[in-house]
Amino acid sequence: MSIPFLPSDQANGAALCRRAAAVIPGAIPGHQSPALNVPGHFPYFAKRGSGACYWDADDRRFIDFMGGYGPLVLGTAHPEVDAAYTDALKNGNCFNHPTEWTVRLAEALVERVDFADWAFFGKNGADMTYWAIRVAREHTHRPYILKVTGAYHGTEPWCSDTLAGVLSEDKAHILEIPWNDHAALEQTIQAKGDRIAGLVTTPFHHPSYGDMELPEADFLAALRRHCDAVGAVWILDDVRGGFRHDIGGSHRYFSFTPDISCYSKAIANGYALSAAVGREALRPAASRVFATGSFWNNPAPHAAALKTMEVLERDTCIPGMLQRGSEWIDAFLALGKKHGIELKASGTPTLPYIRIAEDPGFFKQQSFCSAAIRQGVFLHPHHNWFIGAAHDDALLEESLAAIDRALGGCSV
Ligand SMILES: Cc1ncc(COP(=O)(O)O)c(C=O)c1O
């Protein structure tokens, strides 16, 4: 099969890409595919990283605003988290049983997340969102799951945006409403409320190829009210936003309370781990829904998660990230004004997205992000960005100087 983005040049990344194409379907599959950036302009392979910077296979350095698509809240190769991980590894990382690390991590989450009475662990975000909808169905003995149109919850068929290998039956009991749409919410609840097991939302709407949308007045309150009225379980998918707004969960930043929250990405600063936490009333259903994996109880990622939380709290990282993120967004928008380019910012200070306004096909945005890449700043053209604890003042300043040059040099 021919791969449209396959490069022909002699650079290391390009050569790796051609080798990958021979032995990996799609060469670089999934969300890391160059086809989702701007092929030919963005790096193909990473080589090493430190803090909020990484180097590609051709030793080009980038200030990274994607952080592995979210996990690297403390930056890559964080010495304390990596030490916690490798210390735990010394005793082995795979057993016939869980270890004390698992219990300690569950205790730590239950302590921090205000509504949580229990915790459950997996590896990926999709493990938890899929498990959580099964818990909702088991708890209510109802079939329907209500989700927001365009929201991403993983690649399981129930919520997959692509159709390859997915049957219409896989989505037969999935209902959708647009974010912030009170009328659609009420209509759906009226029509199917007594058959809805659960509602799945992110804390704010963060679609790809679109602006982030914060909750409008009363939308979250309406979701809570309707779930309570019909007895549906509200599942918060905090996989992307978790540990970047409030150590106790993004619901605290937005002032609402779900029934289950799913975390992954930043929870262990890059080590493979996901978690769900929930209310007491859901414990019986959570105990009955069988889900597991060969690696789900490995202790080293659990030790890394405990250390990540400890560092986030000890160094008051999250308030600092929010503050610096907000100043960076303001400075970025000011650069747009300086160059006479109208920019639109959306999202939160730690999950921002800034794009060229009046650019429906994202072509200007692609041109700008490609220019940023040439200046050593990794900004995704169609996906929200991430600002973490490793983006210190000096690095943010450096990134703004590069963005200034990119805005001056791109064709928008
Ligand atoms: C909001 C949200 N939910 C779920 C997932 C799925 O997580 P994973 O890729 O670890 O399965 C993602 C991943 O990007 C996500 O952003």
Side-chain angles (χ1 to χ4, degrees):
M1 178 195 149
S2 72
I3 295 172
F5 59 78
L6 212 54
S8 57
D9 58 280
Q10 293 311 305
N12 292 337
L16 267 179
C17 203
R18 290 192 294 277
R19 276 168 59 196
V23 288
I24 299 172
I28 302 175
H31 64 290
Q32 294 176 332
S33 170
L36 299 177
N37 290 300
V38 188
H41 294 264
F42 282 72
Y44 297 102
F45 286 86
K47 189 169 177 182
R48 65 195 165 91
S50 171
C53 294
Y54 78 98
W55 286 258
D56 74 357
D58 293 287
D59 291 314
R60 293 187 296 170
R61 171 184 176 268
F62 297 99
I63 302 176
D64 183 12
F65 286 93
M66 291 308 290
Y69 289 76
L72 300 173
V73 65
L74 294 173
T76 196
H78 188 272
E80 287 178 275
V81 177
D82 287 6
Y85 183 89
T86 46
D87 281 354
L89 270 187
K90 286 177 194 152
N91 291 320
N93 192 41
C94 190
F95 299 100
N96 303 324
H97 317 277
T99 64
E100 187 181 340
W101 288 110
T102 303
V103 183
R104 282 177 56 187
L105 181 57
E107 287 168 348
L109 286 170
V110 166
E111 215 172 88
R112 281 166 183 79
V113 182
D114 48 12
F115 70 90
D117 294 301
W118 50 260
F120 181 83
F121 300 109
K123 283 284 132 200
N124 286 287
D127 298 342
M128 290 300 99
T129 51
Y130 184 43
W131 178 81
I133 70 168
R134 291 176 61 200
V135 171
R137 284 172 167 157
E138 174 66 16
H139 177 71
T140 57
H141 302 289
R142 299 173 183 175
Y144 284 102
I145 297 294
L146 179 56
K147 72 180 277 292
V148 170
T149 313
Y152 183 74
H153 302 294
T155 58
E156 293 291 343
W158 73 272
C159 59
S160 175
D161 269 346
T162 62
L163 297 175
V166 175
L167 306 176
S168 57
E169 288 91 326
D170 292 326
K171 298 183 180 203
H173 291 102
I174 303 300
L175 306 168
E176 291 197 343
I177 54 165
W179 179 256
N180 276 335
D181 190 333
H182 285 264
L185 171 64
E186 291 203 5
Q187 244 172 29
T188 310
I189 293 287
Q190 262 181 16
K192 296 241 166 42
D194 60 348
R195 304 201 65 212
I196 295 179
L199 160 75
V200 186
T201 71
T202 47
F204 64 100
H205 193 39
H206 33 62
S208 293
Y209 296 93
D211 297 321
M212 309 292 100
E213 292 177 57
L214 298 183
E216 277 169 12
D218 294 341
F219 185 62
L220 296 170
L223 293 175
R224 182 69 273 172
R225 198 169 58 248
H226 283 299
C227 281
D228 289 344
V230 300
V233 176
W234 186 355
I235 298 159
L236 175 65
D237 175 351
D238 209 4
V239 166
R240 200 181 302 183
F243 303 94
R244 287 180 177 273
H245 295 100
D246 189 305
I247 192 75
S250 304
H251 64 282
R252 297 232 306 233
Y253 183 83
F254 288 100
S255 304
F256 69 99
T257 309
D259 301 305
I260 294 179
S261 271
C262 301
Y263 305 109
S264 187
K265 294 202 184 273
I267 191 172
N269 201 51
Y271 290 107
L273 179 70
S274 56
V277 301
R279 288 180 190 277
E280 188 57 39
L282 296 163
R283 189 191 294 260
S287 316
R288 287 194 298 272
V289 173
F290 186 79
T292 186
S294 301
F295 308 112
W296 282 20
N297 280 315
N298 287 8
H302 294 195
L306 279 162
K307 184 56 78 178
T308 301
M309 280 193 260
E310 182 192 317
V311 174
L312 284 172
E313 275 177 327
R314 184 195 66 201
D315 298 346
T316 51
C317 290
I318 298 175
M321 286 153 52
L322 287 164
Q323 175 66 30
R324 288 193 305 281
S326 162
E327 290 163 5
W328 184 80
I329 293 165
D330 288 346
F332 196 136
L333 294 178
L335 289 175
K337 281 215 172 76
K338 173 181 155 185
H339 290 281
I341 298 173
E342 200 188 328
L343 298 174
K344 182 165 186 206
S346 60
T348 63
T350 47
L351 262 76
Y353 180 57
I354 299 175
R355 68 174 178 86
I356 313 274
E358 308 302 327
D359 179 27
F362 289 86
F363 297 119
K364 294 177 183 172
Q365 181 72 358
Q366 291 176 352
S367 166
F368 161 63
C369 289
S370 303
I373 283 287
R374 288 193 294 278
Q375 296 296 335
V377 175
F378 192 94
L379 297 173
H380 198 296
H382 327 112
H383 187 291
N384 76 264
W385 308 333
F386 298 88
I387 291 186
H391 292 97
D392 60 18
D393 287 336
L395 218 45
L396 290 175
E397 273 302 310
E398 188 189 334
S399 74
L400 288 166
I403 287 164
D404 191 2
R405 293 192 296 275
L407 284 168
C410 66
S411 52
V412 296

